[in-house]
């Protein structure tokens, strides 16, 4: 069973607030990813990291930022949340060719 | 660039009936192929994967998928669907040298009638 955790599971927040979505994995994986998924839609890669101090933007442009100071931790931050950021955010990690996903954070910006 | 197409957005089958979910991919070389299942409010769980070798792969929960290079397809099958199989299913393709980044299809929502 995969050990990758996302908090919070659900978040409702007002426009303009700064938020950080947490993602942690205990598997020692070097590679970590953030995907954005609108309801009923496909997943889009927004950020990825190959290891500590490595971060790259994904296929889908996002106003969020990420950091990778520790192997196990890959938080995503929105400096000023907007209703257009309402979505589900899925974190994943991998070593080799299989990715393991967290349960996701469903973000609603009102 | 790689892409994945799942032609069926919704599928409804009766419990006990067989199931086939379609997936077509576009990629210049042999891809890594995956099927994931997502239950409501949950993350993605890997059902099965294909990297090389036998083109018919077995997964968890009684699912299997067949890689057909000539058709650029990787369809998911199950001989007898259970009500608990109702979920969203995603096909994904990854390049074998791309750091495991996956490109997902749009998903197929499976509904199971009693």
């Amino acid at each position: 069973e995969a050990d990758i955790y996302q908090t919070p599971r659900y978040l409702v927040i007002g426009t303009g607030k700064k938020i950080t979505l947490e993602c942690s994995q205990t598997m020692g994986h070097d590679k970590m990813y953030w995907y954005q998924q609108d309801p009923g839609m496909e997943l889009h890669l927004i950020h990825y990291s190959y290891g500590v101090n490595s971060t790259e933007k994904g296929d889908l442009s996002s106003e969020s930022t990420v950091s990778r100071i520790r192997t196990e931790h890959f938080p995503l931050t929105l400096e000023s949340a907007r209703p257009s950021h309402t979505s589900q955010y899925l974190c994943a990690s991998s070593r080799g060719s299989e990715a393991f996903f967290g349960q996701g954070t469903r973000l609603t910006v009102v | 660039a790689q892409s994945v197409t799942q032609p069926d957005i919704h599928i409804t089958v009766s419990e006990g009936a067989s199931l086939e979910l379609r997936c077509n991919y576009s990629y210049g070389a042999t891809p890594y192929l995956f099927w994931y299942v997502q239950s409501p409010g949950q993350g993605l769980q890997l059902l099965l994967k294909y990297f090389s070798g036998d083109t018919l792969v077995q997964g968890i929960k009684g699912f299997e998928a067949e890689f057909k290079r000539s058709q650029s397809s990787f369809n998911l099958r199950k001989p007898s669907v259970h009500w608990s199989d109702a979920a969203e299913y995603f096909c994904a393709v990854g390049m074998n040298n791309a750091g495991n980044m996956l490109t997902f299809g749009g998903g197929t929502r499976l509904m199971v009638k009693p």
Side-chain angles (χ1 to χ4, degrees):
Chain A
E1 188 168 324
D3 295 310
I4 179 164
Y5 307 100
Q6 291 185 242
T7 57
R9 290 289 310 280
Y10 302 93
L11 179 62
V12 180
I13 200 163
T15 297
K17 299 293 185 183
K18 177 180 179 179
I19 57 171
T20 296
L21 309 185
E22 302 288 349
C23 176
S24 296
Q25 50 96 5
T26 59
M27 298 172 282
H29 290 168
D30 291 324
K31 296 166 186 168
M32 296 188 74
Y33 315 85
W34 277 102
Y35 287 86
Q36 183 175 343
Q37 181 187 28
D38 292 326
M41 302 296 287
E42 63 202 272
L43 286 77
H44 292 284
L45 181 69
I46 52 174
H47 297 285
Y48 61 97
S49 167
Y50 286 154
V52 172
N53 294 325
S54 155
T55 61
E56 302 287 345
K57 290 193 177 293
D59 303 324
L60 181 67
S61 175
S62 174
E63 295 169 344
S64 59
T65 60
V66 292
S67 62
R68 190 85 184 278
I69 299 173
R70 304 198 314 266
T71 298
E72 62 271 22
H73 197 212
F74 191 40
L76 180 146
T77 298
L78 279 164
E79 290 293 332
S80 179
R82 295 207 301 269
S84 60
H85 296 141
T86 294
S87 190
Q88 173 156 254
Y89 294 84
L90 287 164
C91 181
S93 72
S94 71
R95 177 188 290 156
S97 298
E98 181 175 340
F100 297 88
F101 285 82
Q103 290 189 300
T105 295
R106 186 167 296 281
L107 172 66
T108 301
V109 184
V110 298
Chain B
Q2 60 199 39
S3 65
V4 181
T5 302
Q6 293 180 246
D8 305 304
I9 298 174
H10 298 278
I11 283 185
T12 300
V13 300
S14 297
E15 190 168 18
S18 64
L19 171 70
E20 182 169 29
L21 303 183
R22 295 183 290 165
C23 172
N24 294 98
Y25 68 90
S26 173
Y27 180 60
T30 301
Y32 288 1
L33 294 161
F34 305 81
W35 274 100
Y36 284 86
V37 60
Q38 185 181 34
S39 297
Q42 301 295 312
L44 276 69
Q45 181 183 22
L46 180 68
L47 284 175
L48 47 77
K49 59 191 177 187
Y50 171 78
F51 293 162
S52 64
D54 192 347
T55 56
L56 183 64
V57 293
Q58 303 296 320
I60 62 171
K61 304 184 180 185
F63 286 92
E64 66 178 25
E66 186 171 12
F67 170 59
K68 292 185 177 179
R69 183 189 302 275
S70 61
Q71 299 176 19
S72 297
S73 69
F74 189 56
N75 295 349
L76 181 72
R77 301 194 294 250
K78 186 170 184 177
S80 178
V81 170
H82 188 262
W83 64 266
S84 60
D85 293 325
E88 184 111 22
Y89 291 80
F90 290 93
C91 182
V93 61
M95 293 184 282
N96 58 11
N97 62 349
N100 313 121
M101 289 176 287
L102 298 175
T103 299
F104 285 86
T108 298
R109 181 167 297 279
L110 173 66
M111 290 171 279
V112 180
K113 294 189 299 185

